[in-house]
């Protein structure tokens, strides 16, 4: 076994700590600022959704920062370094995701006037469906947040020797602090600041790395010679880890579960003062996603150009691929004090934004879906204090989950696997409600459970029995230029029997992790539709048009007759989606309840009671400008 000489890598100096600490101080300061500014606004609505007065700019920046977390800063360059630039195909997936979210899901959520996305499920189906979905979301978000807390802490530990768990708890404390003090407004504006830090960190690494490695042309040529630019692999094998189809199709399902029906995303969209502002936020956010993706991919190519002759992972200089990026930064900026601190601040910016958004979203769904339904007579002041208390509780829980994340392997695959296993069935559930009017509550609940079982079956199976290396083998990594220690190390290898692998291990369990969401979503939809037809589909006349999105309008735009036929008797023509309220929905449910007692769990409060200031003529909340409503 070859023993390589470990090159000297400097640790943090005083300036690095100053730059890094500034991130935490400024983030906390934003929370204090909004706590002071909004101290006279004591309602839970102001705390949880910013009074529905946000504009598209800060919301777009916040969305980009939250989902382009340290997983992107650390994981994506390492993926490109090891597997090539096929990750850039995610720009297609992001595009499809934003279009579907803004035109299919957002209009229904925004016009319904809800605070928690899971309120929709009670309006459309019944309370048990809402509770089941809320519980799944809470579990999913806690696990995911644990991964994104652990990732930058690992980076900091690698480059500075700073205590791993000390940095984990520092992250949790700061996020909990400004979430609890400033609410959603503090989260959104802190995210905007942290996105700027992320971009500066990425650009600094790109510029310095490009200069040190001979310029863009040299880097491109090196990447091409190393097969890193083979982007479009059209192999349809679903077991291959990354191909055009797994990323374009599987990535769309995965990120649509993250964007289209995720409380963290929708909560910030519905905090906008109008539906048009919310849609603009999503489309501006798409530009941000593209920019961050390009920066991450090119960072991976620059890193490959630098390490093309001496791969630090194969040589044993680092213990995990996710440590490649911080290791690279410490080498190229060894003579520039303060810059390594900027990069680590870049990684932590992604984490702080994601964790803060998760904490705020968890507090919102818990308050709206559990606390408020159990104690409907809470005063506004008490509601605000309960919401702040929930922020503290979930801050502690999410930080603690970082311990579990240390056993989950690579941060990119771990995070997207979690989202796929939980987000896919949730995406299927909301699709059943919004797109298929005849789906009943029995079909919805059965579909959700089926989707969860299928997604977790394949996900856990893949974790226990990893896919064969032939399906996920990294590209060639060389150690030919590494300095070799003349002392030869003789490794003693004890012969062992190959581990037992069931028959499904090389087929079902080897499915690309990006398809977990598609499995859960399609399983949920198919089961939900079948059960609904078997148990008796809902009649279109019994569904309020507020809860259905007439997607058939796109395909039948030439004929009002065919559009009406495809509406399945849901009367979209009779009233606009803004007319009506939960009282109307309750009346409709009361009619159905005569034949189905379960639906007595339906809501019984006016949908606008908890969102005062809504102007149906302008489709906005205390809007200052006339804005038109888009529809299919």
């Amino acid at each position: 076994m070859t023993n390589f000489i470990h090159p000297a890598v400097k640790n943090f100096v005083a300036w690095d700590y100053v730059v890094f600490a500034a991130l935490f101080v400024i983030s906390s300061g934003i929370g204090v600022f909004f706590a002071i500014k909004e101290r006279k606004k004591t309602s839970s609505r102001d705390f949880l959704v910013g009074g529905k007065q946000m504009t598209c700019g800060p919301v777009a920046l916040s969305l980009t920062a939250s989902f382009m977390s340290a997983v992107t800063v650390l994981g994506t360059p390492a993926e490109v370094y090891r597997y090539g630039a096929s990750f850039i195909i995610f720009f297609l997936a992001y595009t499809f995701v934003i279009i579907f979210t803004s035109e299919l899901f957002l209009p229904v959520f925004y016009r319904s006037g809800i605070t928690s996305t899971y309120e929709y499920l009670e309006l459309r189906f019944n309370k048990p469906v809402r509770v089941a979905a809320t519980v799944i979301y809470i579990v999913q978000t806690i696990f995911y947040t644990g991964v994104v807390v652990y990732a930058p802490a690992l980076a900091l530990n690698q480059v500075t020797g700073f205590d791993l768990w000390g940095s984990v708890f520092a992250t949790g404390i700061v996020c909990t602090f400004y979430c609890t003090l400033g609410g959603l407004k503090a989260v959104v504006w802190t995210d905007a600041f942290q996105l700027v830090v992320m971009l500066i960190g990425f650009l600094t690494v790109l510029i310095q790395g490009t200069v040190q490695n001979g310029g863009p042309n040299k880097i491109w040529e090196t990447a091409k010679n190393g097969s890193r630019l083979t982007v479009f692999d059209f192999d349809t094998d679903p077991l291959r880890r990354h191909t055009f189809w797994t990323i374009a199709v599987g990535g769309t399902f995965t990120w649509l579960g993250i964007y289209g029906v995720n409380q963290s995303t929708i909560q910030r969209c519905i905090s906008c003062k109008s539906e048009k502002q919310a849609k603009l936020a999503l489309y501006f956010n798409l530009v941000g996603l593209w920019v961050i993706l390009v920066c991450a991919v090119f960072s991976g190519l620059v890193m490959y150009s630098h390490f093309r002759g001496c791969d630090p992972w194969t040589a044993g200089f680092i213990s995990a691929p996710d440590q490649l990026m911080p290791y690279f930064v410490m080498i190229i900026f060894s003579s520039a004090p303060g810059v390594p601190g900027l990069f680590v601040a870049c990684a932590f910016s992604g984490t702080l934004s994601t964790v803060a958004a998760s904490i705020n979203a968890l507090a919102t769904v818990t308050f709206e879906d559990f606390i408020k339904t159990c104690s409907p007579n809470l005063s506004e002041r008490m509601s605000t204090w309960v919401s702040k208390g929930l922020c503290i509780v979930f801050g502690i829980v999410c930080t603690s989950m970082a311990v579990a994340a240390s056993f989950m392997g690579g941060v990119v695959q771990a995070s997207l696997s979690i989202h796929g296993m939980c987000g896919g069935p949730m995406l299927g559930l909301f699709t059943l409600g919004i797109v298929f009017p005849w789906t009943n509550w029995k079909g919805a609940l059965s579909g959700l459970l089926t989707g969860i079982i299928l997604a977790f079956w394949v996900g856990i199976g893949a974790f226990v029995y990893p896919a064969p290396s032939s399906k996920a083998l990294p590209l060639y990594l060389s150690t030919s230029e590494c300095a070799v220690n003349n002392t030869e190390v003789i490794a003693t290898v004890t012969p062992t029997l190959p581990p037992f692998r069931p028959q499904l291990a090389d087929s079902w369990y080897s499915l690309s992790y990006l398809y977990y969401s598609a499995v859960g979503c399609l399983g949920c939809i198919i089961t939900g539709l079948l059960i609904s037809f078997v148990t008796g589909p809902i009649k279109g006349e019994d569904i309020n048009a507020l809860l259905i999105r007439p997607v058939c309008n796109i395909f039948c735009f030439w004929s009002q007759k065919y559009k009406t036929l495809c509406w399945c008797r849901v009367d979209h023509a009779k009233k606009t989606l803004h007319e009506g309220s939960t009282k109307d929905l309750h009346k409709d449910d009361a009619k159905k309840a005569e034949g189905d007692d379960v639906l007595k769990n339906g809501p019984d409060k006016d949908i606008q009671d908890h969102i005062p200031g809504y102007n149906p003529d302008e489709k906005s909340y205390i809007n200052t400008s006339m804005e038109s409503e888009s529809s299919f």
Side-chain angles (χ1 to χ4, degrees), residues 451-494:
I452 287 290
I453 291 170
L454 288 174
F456 272 80
W457 180 19
V458 64
I460 295 175
F463 183 78
V464 177
Y465 302 104
S469 58
S470 60
K471 300 297 182 182
L473 193 65
L475 298 173
Y476 178 70
L477 299 168
S478 173
T479 56
S480 60
E481 297 178 14
C482 295
V484 180
N485 192 338
N486 292 326
T487 304
E488 186 176 352
V489 178
I490 300 175
T492 303
V493 179
T494 304

Side-chain angles (χ1 to χ4, degrees), residues 573-593:
K574 183 177 179 180
K575 63 179 183 179
T576 66
L577 290 178
H578 275 303
E579 295 172 358
S581 64
T582 307
K583 286 182 177 178
D584 299 323
L585 296 174
H586 182 60
K587 291 176 183 177
D588 294 338
D589 285 344
K591 295 177 182 178
K592 291 183 287 181

Side-chain angles (χ1 to χ4, degrees), residues 179-509:
C179 278
T180 305
L181 283 182
L184 182 70
K185 285 188 177 180
V187 171
V188 168
W189 283 104
T190 306
D191 286 352
F193 160 71
Q194 289 161 356
L195 179 62
V196 173
V197 175
M198 287 176 68
L199 287 172
I200 293 174
F202 258 137
L203 292 175
T204 304
V205 173
L206 278 173
I207 293 170
Q208 180 70 0
T210 301
V211 170
Q212 286 196 11
N213 289 281
N217 292 335
K218 178 66 175 176
I219 290 171
W220 195 262
E221 181 182 351
T222 303
K224 185 177 180 180
N225 293 336
S227 302
R228 262 60 187 178
L229 297 182
T230 306
V231 174
F232 297 103
D233 179 359
F234 291 99
D235 187 351
T236 56
D237 184 0
L239 308 186
R240 290 278 304 281
R241 188 170 185 271
H242 283 166
T243 66
F244 175 86
W245 302 112
T246 57
I247 296 176
V249 178
T252 298
F253 274 97
T254 300
W255 281 94
L256 194 56
I258 296 172
Y259 262 81
V261 298
N262 187 286
Q263 170 65 23
S264 183
T265 303
I266 299 301
Q267 181 177 343
R268 275 171 286 183
C269 289
I270 62 179
S271 72
C272 291
K273 66 171 83 173
S274 69
E275 184 181 323
K276 182 178 179 180
Q277 289 282 329
K279 287 188 176 183
L280 285 174
L282 282 169
Y283 284 113
F284 286 144
N285 158 66
L286 176 60
V287 177
L289 295 179
W290 285 342
V291 171
I292 295 291
L293 177 64
V294 169
C295 288
V297 169
F298 274 92
S299 293
L301 296 178
V302 170
M303 193 160 57
Y304 173 74
S305 180
H306 189 86
F307 292 129
R308 64 189 180 278
C310 183
D311 171 42
W313 181 48
T314 307
F317 303 154
I318 57 175
S319 58
D322 299 318
Q323 298 173 358
L324 278 164
M325 192 67 174
Y327 181 80
F328 173 62
V329 168
M330 292 306 295
I331 290 176
I332 65 174
F333 290 114
S334 57
S335 60
V339 182
L342 176 63
F343 169 75
V344 175
C346 168
F348 264 84
S349 291
T351 290
L352 290 173
S353 62
T354 303
V355 175
S358 297
I359 291 173
N360 191 261
L362 287 167
T364 301
V365 298
T366 304
F367 178 77
E368 291 291 333
D369 298 344
F370 295 118
I371 305 296
K372 203 170 182 179
T373 55
C374 295
S375 304
N377 297 321
L378 281 177
S379 66
E380 286 293 347
R381 187 175 185 83
M382 180 58 68
S383 297
T384 303
W385 280 108
V386 170
S387 300
K388 292 184 176 184
L390 289 171
C391 284
I392 296 173
V393 170
F394 282 115
I396 296 171
V397 173
C398 289
T399 305
S400 302
M401 277 308 303
V403 178
S406 62
F407 301 102
M408 292 185 183
V411 294
V412 170
Q413 183 164 336
S415 63
L416 292 184
S417 295
I418 292 170
H419 273 309
M421 289 188 290
C422 295
M426 298 288 277
L427 174 63
L429 177 63
F430 281 97
T431 303
L432 281 172
I434 293 173
V435 178
F436 301 101
W438 55 85
T439 306
N440 61 29
W441 73 269
K442 296 173 184 176
L445 196 56
S446 301
L448 177 62
L449 294 176
T450 302
I452 287 290
I453 291 170
L454 288 174
F456 272 80
W457 180 19
V458 64
I460 295 175
F463 183 78
V464 177
Y465 302 104
S469 58
S470 60
K471 300 297 182 182
L473 193 65
L475 298 173
Y476 178 70
L477 299 168
S478 173
T479 56
S480 60
E481 297 178 14
C482 295
V484 180
N485 192 338
N486 292 326
T487 304
E488 186 176 352
V489 178
I490 300 175
T492 303
V493 179
T494 304
T496 57
L497 293 173
F500 169 76
R501 289 178 67 84
Q503 189 174 0
L504 289 175
D506 295 327
S507 54
W508 177 244
Y509 296 158

Side-chain angles (χ1 to χ4, degrees), residues 541-589:
E541 300 94 327
D542 297 331
I543 301 175
N544 194 295
L546 180 75
L547 305 177
I548 304 295
R549 190 67 169 152
V551 293
C552 55
N553 288 9
I554 296 177
F555 308 103
C556 305
F557 59 88
W558 70 89
S559 170
Q560 183 64 33
K561 176 183 176 182
Y562 286 116
K563 281 198 293 186
T564 306
L565 180 65
C566 293
W567 287 346
C568 301
R569 298 185 180 181
V570 177
D571 198 353
H572 291 285
K574 183 177 179 180
K575 63 179 183 179
T576 66
L577 290 178
H578 275 303
E579 295 172 358
S581 64
T582 307
K583 286 182 177 178
D584 299 323
L585 296 174
H586 182 60
K587 291 176 183 177
D588 294 338
D589 285 344

